[in-house]
Amino acid sequence: MDYDIKDVGLADKGENRIEWASTNMPVVLSIRERFRKERPLKGIKVSCCLHVTTETANLVITLKEGGAEVYLCASNPLSTQDDVSAALVKNHGIPVFAINGEDRDIYYSHIRSVLNVEPHITVDDGADLVSTVHKEMRGLAGKIVGGTEETTTGVVRLKSMANKGELLYPIIAVNDAQTKHLFDNRYGTGQSTIDGILRATNTLIAGSTFVVCGYGWCGKGLAMRAKGMGARVIICEVDPIKAIEAVLDGYLVMPFVEAAKVGDIFVTVTGDIRVIHKGGFEVMKDNALVANAGHFDVEIDLKALEEMAKGKRTVRDGVTQFLLEDGRRINLLGEGRLVNLSCAEGHPSMVMDMSFANQALCIEYLALLRERLENKVYPVPEEIDREIARLKLITMGVTIDELTEEQKEYLRSWEIGT
Ligand code: ADE
């Protein structure tokens, strides 16, 4: 079996951690149980480009139990958990191409490795598989039945390709399922971003001024958690509607350059480029902490920071301190890559359970399709979304009310008024 990982000797540690995560992924486990019996993915090659974590391991093991031939590479050079890769290779026979800290060339050579197998289905977190197919391996697209996309940034890129008529195969936007973004993006990013900041710095959030750039689902979750830990939270936004929402949620809202003067901790989570920029670095307080929780490492203008600095050094694992000409220090976390995955372990298994249940069921949906879909970005079928919510509630021991026949009829009718 061909693979490229750091050290297969780490497998025992990885296996224990994968099992630990599985105890909080009951919905994925129930799908695994059914897949084991029904084998709906028999004969299907699935190439995945995902963060190589314990939760991803539980997804790919589930796909394999469903009969798929699964291949895995990393969706970020710093998020790979090397012990997880080792366990997947050694104990589960799943070829993994991912090494924590890999450089750009190796990162892309790993992407090519999982595409060279000529998959029927691609699974992306950030659209790097799809974009590599489109840039370098266009011949593969005709054989690919479809793909899935895990994250907001990937969906934005794919919708733009589809709108320009450039998308060569259909994609299901897993990110847009309610059982994905309402929980993973909000509660997952909220907690794991704070987790990354704390593991890297051990800073006190209470009493700090915490600046969140972007008030989408991820930004909302992060602001909520920072506020809950006693920070004064400032939101920077460009969308007037989201800005009003932030004001009414009780946050201060101001332009980034104003927030830059007073913030202690800065996190950008917008999906856009150069959000934390030179104008901000020029006015930040000494010892400010700066982190990115967006998919790509483009949100912090690292080039500007490098140019402004007269020196830099690693002060703790995951913290690079830049010394500016005037003596101020700016601390960059996780090299400007996703702080929750580079400095911590990503979202907790409990929320990834729903995200990856969506992945597993959408992959099954693509595998069982009778006709080829058009080359568009599709939503997750509503039955899948609702079924995951139903299953999750059962596993949480929560029961809910049902509409009576009379209530259903009332909702269908229009005659009854004042
Ligand atoms: N994205 C965010 N957190 C994650 C995790 N724990 N596993 C895989 N992908 C993730």
Side-chain angles (χ1 to χ4, degrees):
M1 182 173 97
D2 195 18
Y3 61 86
D4 191 20
I5 62 171
K6 181 159 184 220
D7 177 4
V8 84
L10 300 170
D12 287 349
K13 181 177 175 211
E15 193 63 37
N16 284 337
R17 294 180 57 247
I18 292 169
E19 191 191 320
W20 175 262
S22 76
T23 59
N24 281 311
M25 300 182 76
V27 179
V28 167
L29 290 191
S30 71
I31 295 170
R32 185 182 299 175
E33 212 37 54
R34 179 172 67 75
F35 275 14
R36 187 176 294 146
K37 290 187 204 121
E38 297 177 6
R39 309 278 287 171
L41 308 180
K42 195 159 185 291
I44 302 285
K45 281 189 245 175
V46 184
S47 291
C48 307
C49 178
L50 295 168
H51 300 293
V52 181
T53 64
T54 54
E55 292 75 25
T56 295
N58 277 291
L59 170 66
V60 294
I61 292 167
T62 301
L63 301 178
K64 189 165 180 197
E65 293 272 1
E69 241 179 68
V70 191
Y71 301 84
L72 175 63
C73 69
S75 60
N76 186 296
L78 281 192
S79 62
T80 298
Q81 298 170 7
D82 290 313
D83 56 336
V84 169
S85 314
L88 287 174
V89 166
K90 184 164 173 228
N91 303 343
H92 300 274
I94 294 178
V96 182
F97 301 84
I99 299 174
N100 189 299
E102 62 198 12
D103 65 20
R104 196 185 150 78
D105 288 346
I106 306 228
Y107 177 81
Y108 276 101
S109 81
H110 285 159
I111 285 192
R112 284 182 209 105
S113 298
V114 303
L115 288 175
N116 280 336
V117 305
E118 304 192 349
H120 302 105
I121 295 175
T122 61
V123 178
D124 254 316
D125 185 330
D128 280 345
L129 287 183
V130 175
S131 70
T132 305
V133 168
H134 283 68
K135 283 181 194 149
E136 303 175 16
M137 302 169 96
R138 296 175 75 83
L140 290 183
K143 292 187 205 124
I144 299 177
V145 183
T148 62
E149 172 52 54
E150 170 76 8
T151 201
T152 317
T153 295
V155 171
V156 170
R157 288 168 104 188
L158 292 160
K159 284 189 176 159
S160 120
M161 290 167 85
N163 288 341
K164 290 181 193 155
E166 287 168 5
L167 189 63
L168 295 176
Y169 64 91
I171 301 288
I172 301 184
V174 165
N175 178 72
D176 295 356
Q178 301 200 63
T179 48
K180 200 280 182 180
H181 67 267
L182 291 181
F183 308 108
D184 170 315
N185 300 26
R186 184 166 35 168
Y187 300 101
T189 308
Q191 177 166 320
S192 62
T193 300
I194 300 269
D195 186 14
I197 294 170
L198 294 184
R199 290 198 208 192
T201 64
N202 198 25
T203 195
L204 181 68
I205 306 276
S208 69
T209 300
F210 197 110
V211 179
V212 179
C213 301
Y215 202 60
W217 288 112
C218 296
K220 284 189 187 47
L222 176 58
M224 178 169 61
R225 289 293 170 256
K227 184 180 182 179
M229 292 182 80
R232 243 181 326 276
V233 178
I234 300 176
I235 305 294
C236 304
E237 243 308 329
V238 290
D239 178 329
I241 296 172
K242 289 187 179 139
I244 297 174
E245 203 181 354
V247 173
L248 298 198
D249 285 345
Y251 302 111
L252 289 167
V253 175
M254 61 182 78
F256 172 65
V257 281
E258 294 303 317
K261 294 179 196 156
V262 292
D264 300 302
I265 304 168
F266 296 85
V267 183
T268 171
V269 58
T270 67
D272 214 333
I273 58 168
R274 273 195 267 287
V275 175
I276 297 189
H277 52 71
K278 187 170 180 205
F281 297 135
E282 276 167 354
V283 295
M284 278 180 193
K285 293 196 277 190
D286 179 34
N287 229 4
L289 304 180
V290 177
N292 168 41
H295 183 79
F296 288 117
D297 63 341
V298 294
E299 302 209 13
I300 301 171
D301 191 344
L302 298 176
K303 189 160 167 278
L305 189 54
E306 294 274 357
E307 282 167 7
M308 288 169 76
K310 62 179 183 188
K312 67 172 180 183
R313 65 192 179 113
T314 302
V315 282
R316 287 170 64 98
D317 287 348
V319 185
T320 314
Q321 187 169 84
F322 290 79
L323 183 61
L324 305 189
E325 291 291 345
D326 59 10
R328 282 177 305 127
R329 294 159 293 178
I330 292 182
N331 299 295
L332 175 72
L333 309 194
E335 299 177 21
R337 297 196 183 271
L338 279 165
V339 70
N340 58 340
L341 282 141
S342 57
C343 298
E345 292 168 69
H347 303 348
S349 322
M350 181 75 175
V351 281
M352 292 312 293
D353 188 27
M354 284 184 279
S355 313
F356 284 166
N358 273 290
Q359 286 285 4
L361 296 186
C362 288
I363 292 163
E364 179 187 33
Y365 173 85
L366 286 171
L368 299 180
L369 272 179
R370 292 265 163 270
E371 281 169 33
R372 196 181 159 87
L373 296 172
E374 285 176 58
N375 297 341
K376 290 188 194 161
V377 177
Y378 289 86
V380 170
E382 201 184 329
E383 319 81 78
I384 292 184
D385 209 353
R386 299 199 78 80
E387 176 63 4
I388 290 168
R390 197 185 66 77
L391 291 172
K392 189 71 177 174
L393 276 177
I394 293 173
T395 65
M396 293 161 91
V398 176
T399 46
I400 59 172
D401 293 317
E402 274 180 42
L403 291 175
T404 63
E405 281 311 316
E406 186 193 20
Q407 287 171 329
K408 285 186 199 162
E409 184 48 39
Y410 178 76
L411 292 178
R412 279 194 295 266
S413 68
W414 55 270
E415 293 91 345
I416 306 174
T418 338

